[in-house]
Amino acid sequence: AVDSTGVVYFADWHATNKINAVRKLLADGTVTTFAGAGPVASTDNVVGLYAEFNRPYGIAVDKDDYIYVAEFNGGALRLVSPEGVVTTLLTGIPDPIGMGVSAAGDVYFADYAAGTVHAHQVTPSAPTVSPTAPALPAETWVTGVAATAGAEEGSRDVARWTGPAGVSCDTVTTDIVVAEYGGDRLRRVTNVGRVNTWVGSGVGASTPGIRLAAALDGPSGIAVDAAGTAYTTEELSCVVAETTAA
């Protein structure tokens, strides 16, 4: 995830080496730890290296440079301020994995184990923690049925997912784009509430092609740029795939 100044933030987790951190990558290639230390925990209201995470995974940055972190093993969504203060937004999620934040401040995340994608969209009356820190708006919709895997498409309430992972917001179409690890597809939740497969035949392979003729191999992370081009990490083939705008 990239902030307003071009700094890249990413989650770094390693069980053996006891790494649970949010790192940042500067334009000159320097990598430093922004928040998190080695111990496994979900400690709140602490700063920088004193903060603790429990397997951070997906990351998104909003327009004000607040960092949203999906904490996979902790079952939580965490918030890191531009100053590095870490707080918890939501708990009790089975396996939060992918995070996305729209330009308007709408928050989206994928729950891998449940096979669901969740939206927390901003309303004019949404509360705030302080004059500057964002609060998590109330949940506005869920697509998928918990523990019911599938590939059905259509309206959000009838769609089914198999291992949704990475989440990104397409600023061109305002769709939500999801990398479906278990289904080997990229799927869209459109701005009119439909779930459609965008790319991928569902066969686990890394094969270039046009839309459904292409094949992806364990797509996990995804980012959509300002032109609508998507970049996807294929975890099982160890490649990054580029998909041009819809």
Side-chain angles (χ1 to χ4, degrees):
V2 184
D3 73 7
S4 62
T5 67
V7 174
V8 177
Y9 293 88
F10 61 94
D12 189 2
W13 173 80
H14 195 285
T16 303
N17 294 334
K18 298 182 180 179
I19 297 172
N20 287 275
V22 174
R23 313 268 194 206
K24 67 177 182 179
L25 170 65
L26 304 180
D28 64 2
T30 302
V31 176
T32 60
T33 299
F34 184 63
V40 175
S42 298
T43 310
D44 268 350
N45 299 310
V46 287
V47 181
L49 300 183
Y50 294 97
E52 294 172 327
F53 294 95
N54 191 352
R55 195 176 180 181
Y57 207 103
I59 283 186
V61 180
D62 72 10
K63 62 181 179 61
D64 296 316
D65 294 337
Y66 282 84
I67 302 167
Y68 293 75
V69 182
E71 194 178 65
F72 190 81
N73 283 1
L77 302 186
R78 312 289 299 283
L79 181 71
V80 187
S81 76
E83 297 76 30
V85 179
V86 180
T87 54
T88 299
L89 292 173
L90 187 65
T91 60
I93 312 164
D95 282 329
I97 186 168
M99 288 290 317
V101 181
S102 74
D106 301 326
V107 177
Y108 304 90
F109 70 90
D111 185 334
Y112 183 82
T116 52
V117 178
H118 301 249
H120 291 253
Q121 296 171 311
V122 173
T123 64
S125 60
T128 56
V129 173
S130 73
T132 56
L136 185 68
E139 186 170 85
T140 46
W141 55 256
V142 178
T143 175
V145 175
T148 306
E152 290 87 345
E153 301 192 333
S155 62
R156 289 192 301 251
D157 58 338
V158 303
R160 299 292 182 269
W161 301 79
T162 302
V167 177
S168 188
C169 300
D170 185 343
T171 59
V172 176
T173 63
T174 69
D175 293 348
I176 310 307
V177 186
V178 180
E180 193 179 54
Y181 181 89
D184 293 310
R185 298 177 175 90
L186 300 185
R187 302 178 74 186
R188 287 179 175 268
V189 184
T190 71
N191 56 16
V192 294
R194 304 284 294 180
V195 176
N196 303 313
T197 296
W198 181 32
V199 176
S201 63
V203 175
S206 187
T207 307
I210 298 175
R211 296 197 60 181
L212 302 187
L216 303 171
D217 200 10
S220 53
I222 186 167
V224 181
D225 69 14
T229 299
Y231 299 89
T232 309
T233 54
E234 293 183 39
E235 187 172 319
L236 300 182
S237 290
C238 300
V239 301
V240 176
E242 179 188 62
T243 305
T244 54

